mmCIF file of all heavy atoms in Angstrom:
data_model
loop_
_atom_site.group_PDB
_atom_site.id
_atom_site.type_symbol
_atom_site.label_atom_id
_atom_site.label_comp_id
_atom_site.label_asym_id
_atom_site.label_seq_id
_atom_site.Cartn_x
_atom_site.Cartn_y
_atom_site.Cartn_z
ATOM 1 N N VAL A 74 12.910 21.300 -41.372
ATOM 2 C CA VAL A 74 11.588 21.339 -40.744
ATOM 3 C C VAL A 74 10.764 22.511 -41.265
ATOM 4 O O VAL A 74 11.272 23.617 -41.469
ATOM 5 C CB VAL A 74 11.719 21.442 -39.206
ATOM 6 C CG1 VAL A 74 10.343 21.569 -38.551
ATOM 7 C CG2 VAL A 74 12.464 20.229 -38.657
ATOM 8 N N SER A 75 9.484 22.255 -41.478
ATOM 9 C CA SER A 75 8.513 23.293 -41.795
ATOM 10 C C SER A 75 7.341 23.134 -40.831
ATOM 11 O O SER A 75 6.998 22.015 -40.436
ATOM 12 C CB SER A 75 8.028 23.155 -43.239
ATOM 13 O OG SER A 75 7.210 24.248 -43.609
ATOM 14 N N LEU A 76 6.764 24.253 -40.421
ATOM 15 C CA LEU A 76 5.671 24.241 -39.448
ATOM 16 C C LEU A 76 4.354 24.651 -40.109
ATOM 17 O O LEU A 76 4.353 25.392 -41.101
ATOM 18 C CB LEU A 76 5.980 25.199 -38.291
ATOM 19 C CG LEU A 76 7.297 24.983 -37.546
ATOM 20 C CD1 LEU A 76 7.511 26.079 -36.490
ATOM 21 C CD2 LEU A 76 7.334 23.611 -36.887
ATOM 22 N N GLY A 77 3.246 24.190 -39.548
ATOM 23 C CA GLY A 77 1.924 24.567 -40.047
ATOM 24 C C GLY A 77 0.987 24.911 -38.906
ATOM 25 O O GLY A 77 1.028 24.253 -37.859
ATOM 26 N N PHE A 94 7.626 25.080 -30.751
ATOM 27 C CA PHE A 94 8.250 24.583 -31.974
ATOM 28 C C PHE A 94 9.086 25.678 -32.649
ATOM 29 O O PHE A 94 10.096 25.384 -33.297
ATOM 30 C CB PHE A 94 7.194 24.031 -32.920
ATOM 31 C CG PHE A 94 6.576 22.754 -32.436
ATOM 32 C CD1 PHE A 94 5.274 22.717 -31.963
ATOM 33 C CD2 PHE A 94 7.323 21.583 -32.411
ATOM 34 C CE1 PHE A 94 4.714 21.537 -31.495
ATOM 35 C CE2 PHE A 94 6.775 20.391 -31.941
ATOM 36 C CZ PHE A 94 5.471 20.373 -31.478
ATOM 37 N N PHE A 98 12.892 25.040 -33.595
ATOM 38 C CA PHE A 98 13.316 25.133 -34.999
ATOM 39 C C PHE A 98 13.269 26.611 -35.411
ATOM 40 O O PHE A 98 12.300 27.070 -36.010
ATOM 41 C CB PHE A 98 12.424 24.276 -35.885
ATOM 42 C CG PHE A 98 12.316 22.848 -35.427
ATOM 43 C CD1 PHE A 98 11.153 22.380 -34.824
ATOM 44 C CD2 PHE A 98 13.386 21.968 -35.560
ATOM 45 C CE1 PHE A 98 11.045 21.064 -34.386
ATOM 46 C CE2 PHE A 98 13.292 20.661 -35.118
ATOM 47 C CZ PHE A 98 12.128 20.200 -34.528
ATOM 48 N N LEU A 158 10.537 17.214 -42.723
ATOM 49 C CA LEU A 158 9.642 17.004 -41.589
ATOM 50 C C LEU A 158 8.671 18.170 -41.489
ATOM 51 O O LEU A 158 9.081 19.326 -41.363
ATOM 52 C CB LEU A 158 10.447 16.880 -40.294
ATOM 53 C CG LEU A 158 9.678 16.838 -38.974
ATOM 54 C CD1 LEU A 158 8.740 15.647 -38.919
ATOM 55 C CD2 LEU A 158 10.656 16.803 -37.790
ATOM 56 N N PHE A 159 7.389 17.865 -41.571
ATOM 57 C CA PHE A 159 6.342 18.880 -41.436
ATOM 58 C C PHE A 159 5.635 18.648 -40.114
ATOM 59 O O PHE A 159 5.149 17.544 -39.835
ATOM 60 C CB PHE A 159 5.354 18.776 -42.596
ATOM 61 C CG PHE A 159 4.216 19.762 -42.529
ATOM 62 C CD1 PHE A 159 4.444 21.116 -42.366
ATOM 63 C CD2 PHE A 159 2.893 19.327 -42.650
ATOM 64 C CE1 PHE A 159 3.394 22.023 -42.311
ATOM 65 C CE2 PHE A 159 1.837 20.227 -42.604
ATOM 66 C CZ PHE A 159 2.089 21.571 -42.429
ATOM 67 N N ILE A 160 5.581 19.679 -39.268
ATOM 68 C CA ILE A 160 4.918 19.595 -37.977
ATOM 69 C C ILE A 160 3.766 20.588 -37.967
ATOM 70 O O ILE A 160 3.975 21.802 -38.077
ATOM 71 C CB ILE A 160 5.876 19.916 -36.813
ATOM 72 C CG1 ILE A 160 7.059 18.949 -36.809
ATOM 73 C CG2 ILE A 160 5.133 19.857 -35.475
ATOM 74 C CD1 ILE A 160 8.136 19.296 -35.782
ATOM 75 N N SER A 161 2.542 20.087 -37.877
ATOM 76 C CA SER A 161 1.376 20.972 -37.831
ATOM 77 C C SER A 161 0.802 21.020 -36.422
ATOM 78 O O SER A 161 0.837 20.031 -35.690
ATOM 79 C CB SER A 161 0.293 20.498 -38.814
ATOM 80 O OG SER A 161 -0.217 19.225 -38.459
ATOM 81 N N THR A 162 0.309 22.182 -36.055
ATOM 82 C CA THR A 162 -0.445 22.366 -34.813
ATOM 83 C C THR A 162 -1.838 22.784 -35.247
ATOM 84 O O THR A 162 -2.021 23.865 -35.802
ATOM 85 C CB THR A 162 0.221 23.427 -33.916
ATOM 86 O OG1 THR A 162 0.569 24.584 -34.701
ATOM 87 C CG2 THR A 162 1.506 22.887 -33.295
ATOM 88 N N LYS A 177 7.801 13.581 -43.756
ATOM 89 C CA LYS A 177 6.979 12.993 -42.714
ATOM 90 C C LYS A 177 6.156 14.101 -42.060
ATOM 91 O O LYS A 177 6.609 15.237 -41.942
ATOM 92 C CB LYS A 177 7.840 12.307 -41.656
ATOM 93 C CG LYS A 177 8.565 11.060 -42.141
ATOM 94 C CD LYS A 177 7.600 9.898 -42.303
ATOM 95 C CE LYS A 177 8.338 8.596 -42.582
ATOM 96 N NZ LYS A 177 7.401 7.454 -42.696
ATOM 97 N N HIS A 178 4.940 13.764 -41.611
ATOM 98 C CA HIS A 178 4.031 14.756 -41.028
ATOM 99 C C HIS A 178 3.618 14.335 -39.622
ATOM 100 O O HIS A 178 2.933 13.322 -39.446
ATOM 101 C CB HIS A 178 2.801 14.921 -41.930
ATOM 102 C CG HIS A 178 1.813 15.940 -41.445
ATOM 103 N ND1 HIS A 178 0.635 16.210 -42.115
ATOM 104 C CD2 HIS A 178 1.799 16.756 -40.356
ATOM 105 C CE1 HIS A 178 -0.038 17.137 -41.469
ATOM 106 N NE2 HIS A 178 0.633 17.476 -40.382
ATOM 107 N N LEU A 179 4.033 15.112 -38.632
ATOM 108 C CA LEU A 179 3.581 14.948 -37.253
ATOM 109 C C LEU A 179 2.552 16.031 -36.971
ATOM 110 O O LEU A 179 2.831 17.222 -37.150
ATOM 111 C CB LEU A 179 4.745 15.088 -36.268
ATOM 112 C CG LEU A 179 4.367 14.907 -34.789
ATOM 113 C CD1 LEU A 179 4.264 13.416 -34.454
ATOM 114 C CD2 LEU A 179 5.395 15.569 -33.872
ATOM 115 N N VAL A 181 0.242 17.825 -34.138
ATOM 116 C CA VAL A 181 -0.192 18.048 -32.769
ATOM 117 C C VAL A 181 -1.632 18.536 -32.867
ATOM 118 O O VAL A 181 -1.895 19.676 -33.262
ATOM 119 C CB VAL A 181 0.696 19.080 -32.049
ATOM 120 C CG1 VAL A 181 0.195 19.318 -30.628
ATOM 121 C CG2 VAL A 181 2.146 18.606 -32.031
ATOM 122 N N LEU A 426 8.302 12.114 -32.188
ATOM 123 C CA LEU A 426 9.104 12.361 -33.389
ATOM 124 C C LEU A 426 10.026 11.184 -33.682
ATOM 125 O O LEU A 426 10.115 10.708 -34.819
ATOM 126 C CB LEU A 426 9.938 13.632 -33.207
ATOM 127 C CG LEU A 426 9.281 14.970 -33.522
ATOM 128 C CD1 LEU A 426 10.201 16.120 -33.147
ATOM 129 C CD2 LEU A 426 8.904 15.057 -35.001
#
Side-chain angles (χ1 to χ4, degrees):
V74 177
S75 187
L76 305 176
F94 290 108
F98 307 106
L158 172 61
F159 179 52
I160 301 174
S161 64
T162 46
K177 292 286 189 178
H178 181 181
L179 181 80
V181 179
L426 275 174

